[in-house]
């Protein structure tokens, strides 16, 4: 069975920075992304809050953006 992940906190591949995150918990976000990647390691479809849908690669992409926020 193919897993699907939907999430407003997930960034599409064309998004290259964290943009507006004034209500985000930046300390918790990396841990949340790591948990999602563990739980949904077989995800075939990932639907971000905005822009283009993708696959599992959106999760590590989002983690990288979050970890680089403010650098």
């Amino acid at each position: 069975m193919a897993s699907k992940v939907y999430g407003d906190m997930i960034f599409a591949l064309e998004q290259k920075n964290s943009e507006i995150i004034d209500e985000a918990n930046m300390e918790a976000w990396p841990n949340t992304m790591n948990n999602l990647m563990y739980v949904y390691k077989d995800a075939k479809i990932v639907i971000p809050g905005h822009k283009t849908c993708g696959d599992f690669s959106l999760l590590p992409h989002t983690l990288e953006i979050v970890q680089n926020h403010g650098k």
Side-chain angles (χ1 to χ4, degrees):
M1 182 172 126
S3 296
K4 295 179 187 173
V5 179
Y6 304 87
D8 192 40
M9 65 182 185
I10 299 169
F11 296 136
L13 289 177
E14 61 263 78
Q15 189 164 340
K16 303 300 181 200
N17 60 51
S18 52
E19 296 182 1
I20 301 171
I21 49 130
D22 51 338
E23 295 181 3
N25 182 337
M26 296 306 290
E27 292 178 17
W29 203 339
N31 188 49
T32 300
M33 292 311 304
N34 281 318
N35 286 338
L36 281 173
M37 289 189 293
Y38 176 76
V39 172
Y40 294 100
K41 57 185 164 268
D42 296 326
K44 304 290 186 226
I45 301 169
V46 177
I47 302 173
H50 305 279
K51 301 187 183 182
T52 307
C53 299
D55 58 14
F56 182 87
S57 65
L58 271 65
L59 302 179
H61 171 72
T62 299
L63 179 59
E64 181 179 350
I65 288 175
V66 170
Q67 289 174 328
N68 290 324
H69 175 75
K71 291 182 180 178

